[in-house]
């Protein structure tokens, strides 16, 4: 299941009763706008870690070729395994010991929401995780808001 950043913002602001669809950012409260991205990233990173999915990347490699996992794989976080070819690994550097197709299984870091992230940005997870994301963001936004009598 996918949700756009726009849909996520609207859902969160509806939960905390601060939706204003005519305002830039879907709320007229500047504090909530300022907190949204940080709260979203904190909750999204934690949920993503808890619901990790393995990514597979296949690469044609030559004997003696070295790759840097941190630089050569998209959003690399943690190596699961490499199949298809023999290799040596030291830290984040993998040196292949034969020609062939390397199947690299790894965990990724999630996309981060930035100040300039477009509202069409899509976050993908199962429905339960996306619901947790909405409530987690709403909770984080309200947690330190004295006027909400929440935290």
């Amino acid at each position: 299941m996918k949700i756009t950043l726009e849909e996520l913002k609207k859902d969160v602001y509806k939960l905390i009763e601060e939706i204003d669809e005519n305002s830039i950012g879907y709320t007229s409260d500047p504090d909530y706008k300022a907190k949204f991205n940080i709260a979203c990233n904190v909750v999204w990173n934690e949920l993503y870690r808890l619901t990790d999915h393995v990514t597979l990347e296949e690469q044609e490699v030559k004997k003696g070729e070295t790759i840097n996992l941190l630089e050569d794989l998209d959003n690399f976080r943690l190596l699961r395994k490499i199949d298809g070819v023999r290799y040596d690994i030291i830290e984040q550097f993998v040196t292949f010991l034969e020609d062939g197709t390397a199947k690299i299984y790894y965990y990724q870091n999630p996309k981060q929401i930035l100040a300039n992230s477009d509202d069409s940005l899509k976050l993908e997870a199962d429905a339960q995780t996306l619901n947790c994301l909405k409530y987690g963001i709403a909770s984080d936004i309200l947690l330190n808001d004295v006027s909400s009598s929440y935290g």
Side-chain angles (χ1 to χ4, degrees):
M1 185 171 182
K2 293 182 182 181
I3 189 170
T4 65
L5 185 56
E6 175 184 6
E7 294 166 329
L8 181 61
K9 286 178 182 178
K10 287 179 179 179
D11 288 350
V12 168
Y13 293 135
K14 283 177 189 172
L15 283 172
I16 61 175
E17 300 176 353
E18 287 291 337
I19 185 79
D20 181 355
E21 296 199 29
N22 296 322
S23 289
I24 295 173
Y26 312 106
T27 184
S28 55
D29 189 312
D31 292 334
Y32 292 161
K33 283 182 198 176
K35 292 178 184 177
F36 185 89
N37 289 354
I38 295 168
C40 184
N41 287 330
V42 167
V43 176
W44 183 236
N45 288 340
E46 187 63 20
L47 288 172
Y48 202 87
R49 187 182 63 78
L50 293 171
T51 60
D52 266 343
H53 296 85
V54 175
T55 300
L56 168 62
E57 183 164 325
E58 294 186 21
Q59 292 185 3
E60 291 299 319
V61 297
K62 301 282 185 202
K63 181 180 180 178
E65 180 181 349
T66 299
I67 63 168
N68 181 333
L69 297 172
L70 297 174
E71 294 176 3
D72 297 331
L73 299 179
D74 186 38
N75 292 325
F76 177 83
R77 183 172 65 81
L78 180 68
L79 182 65
R80 174 78 185 257
K81 69 177 183 174
I82 299 175
D83 282 339
V85 293
R86 293 180 305 117
Y87 63 92
D88 283 333
I89 185 167
I90 299 174
E91 301 289 332
Q92 77 266 22
F93 301 100
V94 177
T95 303
F96 297 101
L97 304 176
E98 60 189 352
D99 294 353
T101 302
K103 292 182 178 181
I104 305 170
Y105 299 84
Y106 67 101
Y107 298 104
Q108 291 180 308
N109 289 313
K111 295 176 186 174
Q112 297 299 290
I113 309 303
L114 307 172
N116 64 348
S117 291
D118 192 84
D119 279 349
S120 64
L121 175 73
K122 292 183 180 176
L123 302 175
E124 186 170 4
D126 60 83
Q128 183 178 5
T129 301
L130 291 177
N131 280 333
C132 288
L133 178 62
K134 294 172 191 177
Y135 283 94
I137 295 168
S139 172
D140 274 10
I141 287 173
L142 292 176
L143 195 57
N144 296 317
D145 184 5
V146 178
S147 67
S148 71
S149 300
Y150 183 74

